[in-house]
Amino acid sequence: MTDNNDTPDASGEGYFGRFGGQFVPETLVAALQQLDTEFTSAMSDDSFLDELARCNREIGGRPSELYFCKRLTEQIGGAKIYLKREDMNHTGAHKINNTLGQALLCLRMGKKRVIAETGAGQHGVATATAAAVFGLECAVYMGTEDIRRQSLNVFRMKLLGTEVVPVTSGQRTLKDACNEALREWMSSVEGTHYILGSVTGPHPFPTIVREFQSVIGREARAQMLEAENRLPDVIVACVGGGSNAAGIFAPMIEDAEVAMVGVEAGGRSMSPGDHAATLCVGSPGVLHGSLSYVLQDEDGQTADVHSISAGLDYPGVGPEHSYWKDTGRVQYTNCTDDEAMDALVTLSRTEGVIPALESSHAVAEAIKQAAKLDSDKIVLINLSGRGDKDCNEIQEILARKE
Ligand SMILES: *Cc1c(COP(=O)(O)O)cnc(C)c1O
């Protein structure tokens, strides 16, 4: 079933080339079908789209700004560098775009409870926020290692009225939280909607999450044309599961003049277990319900992963990114923990913007790209989130370096 070139390239069936699909137990098939039907009808329903736009504006704080990095551009001395400021959204990252959309779908399906997995805690907080706004019951699955690293987000979720369920299996991070959330959903699927947090998982999740995150790219496209009268030469985004990247890439994917770079976590080194560079060095396999690139050993055992950022240490990636990689439309690279930390400090000191550790990977790569380009070129960074949540971790790391 894995690595099968005969997999149908069936639009509407949840395939992106040979990637994607719906590799799930029988108990989930009906719920995924219902979700697919509901999503398709919602997206052609003007009242749903109006309500989504209102929520994005009044709750999410959209539109997010397009911001020109004057001092950083001068310091690097190459292409103009712009930020798409998803860090300015309510709850501090792009995650809210997806959770508001899925909470509205949940209400449309008449379900009263949501569950979610979380790594850095950003998706958990965004889900807890949407649940509070709409009066939904909410439980978030989180690995105990991430609970330790992101205690502030754990507290925020609880304050918002959400139950945080500790996951102690495996490496106790995002992959393990996904496993637990999927397992729970099988027993609660009647009245519960699973708000999956990235462009991963079984069909229709990769499509749903991409569509709700595409507000980023639609805004950025219009803002770029407004500011510069043209589109950027390069867009750079970090890739964990790939939702912020898909959100900014998808609306410009047909614009051939725009190059796109996805940046994975290069971690400590490229030895197995030291990074989370799934597209860079992984191979096709099934993880969490879809066929995509996966970090795995020769027996198909999912590999351990590491990243300085809790939101990027995931051994899988969205199936559409696997497709974009194979077609060559998007280039995928990685940067190390140290490069991300350096970029974090640089952006903080040049622009007064403390980026999330995840987003700092995109900043690091964008700086490399901009330095190689002439001053009439434009590099756009999707600044997926703010660094407030990481300040304890950053403080410890910088203290160790001194
Ligand atoms: C969750 C998160 C990511 C990684 O998730 P994607 O689905 O790859 O976008 C990146 N940046 C921030 C700030 C996050 O919270």
Side-chain angles (χ1 to χ4, degrees), residues 171-224:
Q171 265 195 307
R172 303 174 181 148
T173 61
L174 184 54
K175 170 182 71 96
D176 314 295
C178 287
N179 284 336
E180 274 314 303
L182 274 170
R183 197 167 303 152
E184 201 244 71
W185 200 34
M186 281 184 240
S187 60
S188 66
V189 70
E190 267 320 286
T192 297
H193 173 58
Y194 177 17
I195 302 191
L196 212 150
S198 193
V199 286
T200 53
H203 174 69
F205 282 111
T207 302
I208 291 178
V209 179
R210 181 200 66 212
E211 284 307 301
F212 289 149
Q213 290 294 355
S214 286
V215 67
I216 305 172
R218 286 196 305 272
E219 283 176 9
R221 192 177 193 287
Q223 289 166 324
M224 227 39 265

Side-chain angles (χ1 to χ4, degrees), residues 107-234:
L107 293 174
R108 220 180 138 93
M109 291 185 290
K111 295 184 175 183
K112 304 251 173 336
R113 178 172 179 269
V114 291
I115 57 169
E117 82 296 338
T118 199
Q122 288 303 105
H123 177 57
V125 169
T127 303
T129 300
V133 171
F134 297 113
L136 298 164
E137 198 187 319
C138 181
V140 172
Y141 289 79
M142 189 171 190
T144 50
E145 172 60 12
D146 289 332
I147 288 178
R148 183 192 67 76
R149 290 196 286 187
Q150 303 287 342
S151 58
L152 182 61
N153 274 344
V154 175
F155 178 72
R156 290 165 82 195
M157 285 185 266
K158 291 181 178 167
L159 197 57
L160 289 159
T162 280
E163 180 196 357
V164 178
V165 185
V167 175
T168 55
S169 54
Q171 265 195 307
R172 303 174 181 148
T173 61
L174 184 54
K175 170 182 71 96
D176 314 295
C178 287
N179 284 336
E180 274 314 303
L182 274 170
R183 197 167 303 152
E184 201 244 71
W185 200 34
M186 281 184 240
S187 60
S188 66
V189 70
E190 267 320 286
T192 297
H193 173 58
Y194 177 17
I195 302 191
L196 212 150
S198 193
V199 286
T200 53
H203 174 69
F205 282 111
T207 302
I208 291 178
V209 179
R210 181 200 66 212
E211 284 307 301
F212 289 149
Q213 290 294 355
S214 286
V215 67
I216 305 172
R218 286 196 305 272
E219 283 176 9
R221 192 177 193 287
Q223 289 166 324
M224 227 39 265
L225 291 173
E226 175 78 23
E228 293 278 355
N229 210 15
R230 65 185 193 85
L231 296 178
D233 297 282
V234 187

Side-chain angles (χ1 to χ4, degrees), residues 16-37:
F16 308 94
R18 63 181 169 139
F19 299 105
Q22 205 175 72
F23 299 83
V24 293
E26 198 73 37
T27 42
L28 293 182
V29 172
L32 291 169
Q33 182 59 54
Q34 180 197 17
L35 181 60
D36 193 19
T37 306

Side-chain angles (χ1 to χ4, degrees), residues 33-107:
Q33 182 59 54
Q34 180 197 17
L35 181 60
D36 193 19
T37 306
E38 206 64 52
F39 173 68
T40 307
S41 93
M43 295 308 275
S44 59
D45 176 350
D46 285 340
S47 68
F48 179 87
L49 295 175
D50 286 350
E51 179 65 0
L52 179 62
R54 186 189 68 80
C55 289
N56 274 334
R57 194 172 61 242
E58 294 178 5
I59 304 165
R62 304 206 71 82
S64 70
E65 291 292 327
L66 180 74
Y67 171 83
F68 172 54
C69 296
K70 186 167 179 291
R71 294 191 64 228
L72 180 62
T73 298
E74 280 166 13
Q75 181 174 316
I76 304 303
K80 281 185 168 179
I81 301 171
Y82 277 88
L83 304 178
K84 177 62 174 162
R85 297 289 306 273
E86 293 299 300
D87 62 313
M88 297 291 276
N89 297 343
H90 182 43
T91 71
H94 66 291
K95 298 287 189 345
I96 192 85
N97 306 327
N98 171 44
T99 61
L100 290 174
Q102 288 205 48
L104 290 177
L105 281 182
C106 175
L107 293 174

